[in-house]
Amino acid sequence: MDEHIRIGDVAPRVQYVADGVQTDFSFPFPIFEAANLEVRIGELVQQTGFAILGAGASGGGLVRFDQPPEAGRRVTLRRNLVVARTSDFQENGILRSRVLNDELDYQVAALQEVKEELSATLRLAPSEVGSLAPLPSREVRANRLIGFDSVGGLAVFERGEGLLTAPFPGGVPRTVEDKLGERLSARDFGAVGDGVTDDGPALQAAMHAAAASGKVLEIGEGTFRTTMGLTLLSAAAGLAMRGTILYDGPPGRTALAIGDGGAIRAQARRYTGLSVVRAAQSDWTDEADIGIQLRNIDACHVEIRRAERFTIGVQVVGDQLGAEDSELFYGRLIDNRIGLDLRTLTAAGWCNSLRHHGGHFACSSATNPTKARFGVRFSNAPGAYDRHNAHLFLGPAFELQRQGTPGTVDAIPFLLEAADGRGLTALGIRMEQCSPYVARHTGGFNDAVYEVSFVGTYGFLGCDIHYPPGATRAGGTVIPRHQAAAAIGTPRLIAAAESVRARAFRWRAGETGFEGMAVLSGNPAGPPGTLNGFCFPGLPDIGLNADSVTLPTSRALAFVVDAERCKEFFLAAEGTDLRPVVMQFGATEIVLGPEAPALLSNMNITWAGAPAFWWEGNANLDSLTGGLALNRLQRVTLHPACRYAVIGVRGGSAGATLRALRLYGPAQHAPAVLAGGGRRWGTRELATTAALTPPPIAAGGSFAHTVPLPDAAPGDFAQAAWSNATLLPFLAQVNATAPASVSLRIWNPTGAAVELAPGTAFLRVVKPKL
């Protein structure tokens, strides 16, 4: 304090009646520090949502609320000091006036509070002499009334009310008043439930009473219309509804908020039968238009019967604490843009480990027909915690209005907007009148499994996962149980190199190729622009070991697949320091650039750029994440524009080794693996033919002819055969002086000239294995 505080003759309490607009409320008495001031709205002590200004000032200060208190609520500001000695004067020490004044001021302020408290008690008038007797013992006053006898002394009297006793051994007699006080009813506070009367003030009064008393509030049968948003704080033991709240207030409000939010948790509470309907259909433009909001729930049991006509039907919020470990049951979530929103608000909040049962997420065909709608959304406020982990959905049903009716409308069951997260499992999904996607992943969510048990026939195109631009991982798996479940659950082996080392062959001097596989370079000359240019049949700098292959960082081995229909593959590799690599090509076999990203499931993917033109994982397959080998499990999701794909691994270090490589796909697809034939890579055998009319061959003579054969190299095995029957021997070998050609020689070992009929020479060259 800059100057000595002065304690005037001012009562340490002031009260106001809020008008719903005012946010600043002054207090005329001084406080030493902000913690000395108790702030109440109604009977409830407030912990957050305001700031205290003027601590240490003799003239008092003011309380500034973040939001104005509701109109009609009583605001109480009261000084409440801790009664404790905070200073100690030392013997023979210096007695400073400031310290002494502070101590005396604190004592005077505390005595003012005592005086204020005593003014609210029963006491004798100053003119009376004597004192009242103490209260009778607990046994004497139980179930009786306190009063005064004929001379004004304290006495107890019978209540004159009947007692109730439970009809079981050990039952204790209790008054009807006590019995009825076990639970609070909204009708005890004047709520009518006729659908016409504005029951908002009565409902809110009942909710405040439940929080103040720590009891369960009952809202009975009927339709309880309200023009104000309602809040049940977490101090209430729970809420049991049999009726419905009809919200008829302004837009952009939460109709029913449960829990305090902030740093207060609703723990081990039970909320049943929740039913909230908006009187008029929301136009879905304001996400503050919420039916039911559950804040910081922990180990709670929640049953929601209805949430209809809002922008967001139900929102589960993790604020400064998390929402977690709770069981939620859903009924009708109808005509909401987002049926259920799981959202974090701060960097310290989270929304994890929730179990969701049932739910009919539906929109009528006439409800905002041109606007996108979603069943369940995972989201976070800007800067808030962006991971949602361990959510289990059992049997949700979605009828969101099929895509294309009346226009192109997104009607997707799951929308994952949060940047990250793991462990979303949705089982027994029913999709009817939805888009051809069961989910949209916009970020890097991992390990999401969608088991779709039924897909309706209205505009059915499938139940895939949509990865829009900006998605960083292909983290979802769809199991369509309505399509031969046993087959769907078994991935199809597309290509396998059980021993990559055993596939090695000499392509030409100093260059190694591999049967059925393409070799890629991280720095191809040119660079080329087509599939045939990027996929080499053999390259140098690949090391061969006894049972493995050494791949430097500039080399990759891959399978080439036709991806016309199949856009998802599963890659498995055995070795060390291997990094997944994906190249994509369009229908004309032109390489696709960064505008057509591929995705991996358990790691981020990066664009290598020119001249490699491949996508690669940002970590090696055998690197550990939190001590777990999660990177070994990789799904490759191709861009929709991809027609041909090259999928394999490169060396993640100079000493990377590869032993085996396998590629899998979904059971409903059998994409072709491209190698050999009209392709240069992946085959040891080259063949060609030549139509010849040899001249007569003299006795002991021969006939020689050179046949072009691209990629034939000295050292290759060569064979020749003739199309017509003959006993003459044929010799073929690759020319050393004329590369890419084979020399054919026919011998005549007989003693007479031989004339061969015109025919065809078949030439075959085989690359030697290494």
Side-chain angles (χ1 to χ4, degrees):
M1 294 175 285
D2 294 334
E3 62 180 39
H4 175 61
I5 194 171
R6 292 176 175 80
I7 305 297
D9 186 14
V10 181
R13 182 179 65 172
V14 64
Q15 290 184 313
Y16 300 90
V17 177
D19 60 5
V21 177
Q22 181 180 350
T23 58
D24 289 357
F25 296 84
S26 63
F27 52 91
F29 48 86
I31 59 174
F32 298 91
E33 57 185 25
N36 298 154
L37 190 67
E38 180 182 274
V39 180
R40 290 175 180 258
I41 297 180
E43 297 298 325
L44 299 178
V45 177
Q46 305 298 305
Q47 304 292 339
T48 60
F50 60 88
I52 297 175
L53 308 178
S58 299
L62 62 85
V63 173
R64 177 165 293 162
F65 287 94
D66 297 340
Q67 300 292 332
E70 297 175 9
R73 301 295 305 283
R74 185 175 297 278
V75 178
T76 302
L77 309 180
R78 171 176 172 265
R79 188 172 64 213
N80 187 13
L81 299 177
V82 176
V83 180
R85 180 74 181 272
T86 59
S87 63
D88 193 14
F89 301 105
Q90 302 298 315
E91 187 175 354
N92 298 324
I94 298 176
L95 183 61
R96 298 184 182 278
S97 61
R98 182 182 183 89
V99 177
L100 182 59
N101 284 329
D102 289 344
E103 184 69 24
L104 293 175
D105 287 338
Y106 197 93
Q107 292 182 18
V108 171
L111 289 173
Q112 286 181 342
E113 294 179 16
V114 173
K115 181 180 178 181
E116 176 71 15
E117 293 287 346
L118 289 175
S119 67
T121 63
L122 290 173
R123 63 191 188 279
L124 293 176
S127 60
E128 289 198 41
V129 179
S131 60
L132 291 175
L135 287 175
S137 65
R138 182 183 300 272
E139 293 78 9
V140 173
R141 68 177 186 266
N143 288 320
R144 289 173 171 81
L145 300 177
I146 296 177
F148 302 94
D149 58 21
S150 60
V151 296
L154 197 65
V156 294
F157 301 90
E158 295 295 332
R159 298 179 65 164
E161 298 180 3
L163 298 179
L164 298 176
T165 304
F168 301 100
V172 177
R174 301 171 60 203
T175 66
V176 174
E177 183 182 56
D178 287 344
K179 185 69 175 177
L180 294 176
E182 287 183 356
R183 283 196 174 191
L184 298 178
S185 170
R187 287 189 164 89
D188 292 338
F189 295 82
V192 178
D194 60 1
V196 178
T197 304
D198 186 357
D199 287 324
L203 291 173
Q204 190 58 71
M207 291 180 182
H208 285 316
S213 62
K215 292 185 177 181
V216 173
L217 173 64
E218 287 188 351
I219 300 179
E221 295 81 356
T223 300
F224 296 83
R225 176 176 168 269
T226 176
T227 58
M228 59 186 286
L230 305 172
T231 300
L232 178 67
L233 299 179
S234 56
L239 176 62
M241 290 183 63
R242 294 187 298 278
T244 294
I245 293 174
L246 178 66
Y247 179 72
D248 199 11
R253 304 285 178 85
T254 297
L256 175 61
I258 294 178
D260 298 67
I264 300 176
R265 176 168 281 158
Q267 196 165 40
R269 298 291 190 246
R270 187 178 182 89
Y271 308 103
T272 60
L274 306 186
S275 178
V276 178
V277 176
R278 203 175 188 277
Q281 174 63 52
S282 167
D283 62 5
W284 294 356
T285 59
D286 190 347
E287 289 202 1
D289 192 82
I290 300 170
I292 300 172
Q293 186 180 66
L294 303 165
R295 303 185 286 204
N296 290 346
I297 59 172
D298 178 21
C300 291
H301 178 99
V302 183
E303 298 174 10
I304 298 172
R305 288 189 292 120
R306 300 174 68 185
E308 303 182 17
R309 301 180 183 174
F310 296 89
T311 302
I312 297 175
V314 178
Q315 187 177 66
V316 180
V317 165
D319 201 342
Q320 296 177 35
L321 293 174
E324 63 182 1
D325 299 332
S326 295
E327 206 91 13
L328 298 103
F329 298 80
Y330 306 102
R332 291 170 51 87
L333 280 70
I334 307 297
D335 288 336
N336 309 296
R337 179 180 177 269
I338 299 167
L340 170 64
D341 185 28
L342 304 170
R343 188 169 181 81
T344 56
L345 298 184
T346 68
W350 62 89
C351 196
N352 293 335
S353 300
L354 298 176
R355 293 168 298 282
H356 310 267
H357 301 261
H360 187 192
F361 301 81
C363 290
S364 304
S365 59
T367 301
N368 299 324
T370 62
K371 295 183 178 181
R373 69 283 316 278
F374 304 90
V376 180
R377 182 177 74 172
F378 290 77
S379 66
N380 57 276
Y385 186 70
D386 61 1
R387 289 163 175 80
H388 292 264
N389 300 322
H391 286 264
L392 174 63
F393 289 83
L394 298 174
F398 301 92
E399 282 184 276
L400 299 175
Q401 182 179 14
R402 65 187 180 272
Q403 191 169 18
T405 307
T408 301
V409 175
D410 283 333
I412 300 176
F414 290 89
L415 172 61
L416 276 60
E417 285 186 344
D420 205 344
R422 289 182 182 273
L424 164 60
T425 303
L427 305 177
I429 299 172
R430 171 193 171 198
M431 287 177 61
E432 209 166 346
Q433 301 189 70
C434 293
S435 296
Y437 302 110
V438 67
R440 172 178 288 166
H441 290 207
T442 66
F445 201 97
N446 275 8
D447 305 330
V449 178
Y450 306 96
E451 180 194 271
V452 182
S453 293
F454 177 80
V455 175
T457 58
Y458 303 129
F460 169 59
L461 298 175
C463 51
D464 294 329
I465 297 174
H466 181 222
Y467 299 101
T472 58
R473 295 186 186 179
T477 298
V478 179
I479 303 174
R481 293 293 185 190
H482 60 290
Q483 295 181 353
I488 291 296
T490 305
R492 186 186 299 278
L493 180 63
I494 305 300
E498 291 84 356
S499 172
V500 175
R501 174 63 182 84
R503 290 175 172 241
F505 60 84
R506 177 185 179 275
W507 175 248
R508 58 169 59 98
E511 295 184 359
T512 304
F514 296 85
E515 292 182 89
M517 307 176 76
V519 186
L520 307 181
S521 171
N523 189 28
T530 64
L531 177 63
N532 287 328
F534 278 106
C535 295
F536 294 93
L539 286 174
D541 302 326
I542 299 175
L544 300 180
N545 311 311
D547 298 307
S548 64
V549 171
T550 299
L551 283 180
T553 57
S554 62
R555 294 289 183 265
L557 290 181
F559 296 113
V560 183
V561 293
D562 186 330
E564 180 180 8
R565 290 187 174 87
C566 184
K567 304 298 182 183
E568 290 201 332
F569 295 85
F570 303 87
L571 180 66
E574 290 295 329
T576 59
D577 295 341
L578 300 171
R579 188 156 298 199
V581 166
V582 181
M583 293 191 73
Q584 300 181 108
F585 299 84
T588 59
E589 300 190 12
I590 302 297
V591 67
L592 300 180
E595 73 284 351
L599 294 174
L600 299 174
S601 57
N602 272 12
M603 68 171 67
N604 292 337
I605 199 167
T606 59
W607 172 244
F613 282 89
W614 65 42
W615 294 87
E616 63 179 41
N618 67 339
N620 294 338
L621 293 173
D622 56 355
S623 63
L624 301 180
T625 302
L628 302 176
L630 299 178
N631 293 334
R632 290 177 61 84
L633 308 173
Q634 290 298 335
R635 180 175 64 252
V636 178
T637 298
L638 305 174
H639 190 272
C642 178
R643 177 64 170 78
Y644 300 94
V646 181
I647 303 173
V649 293
R650 74 162 173 87
S653 69
T657 60
L658 173 63
R659 294 193 297 273
L661 189 68
R662 290 177 172 83
L663 193 64
Y664 298 85
Q668 63 265 46
H669 296 297
V673 180
L674 307 181
R679 308 292 183 175
R680 296 176 63 242
W681 62 85
T683 183
R684 294 171 54 213
E685 181 175 320
L686 307 175
T688 188
T689 61
L692 298 176
T693 304
I697 304 173
S702 66
F703 166 74
H705 184 76
T706 298
V707 181
L709 182 55
D711 295 320
D716 294 347
F717 299 107
Q719 292 178 309
W722 186 250
S723 61
N724 300 326
T726 180
L727 296 177
L728 298 183
F730 286 71
L731 175 66
Q733 67 179 34
V734 177
N735 285 323
T737 57
S741 65
V742 176
S743 176
L744 171 67
R745 184 175 294 275
I746 308 173
W747 297 94
N748 180 9
T750 68
V754 175
E755 185 173 350
L756 294 175
T760 301
F762 297 94
L763 301 173
R764 175 174 177 258
V765 166
V766 178
K767 304 289 184 178
K769 298 201 73 170
L770 296 175

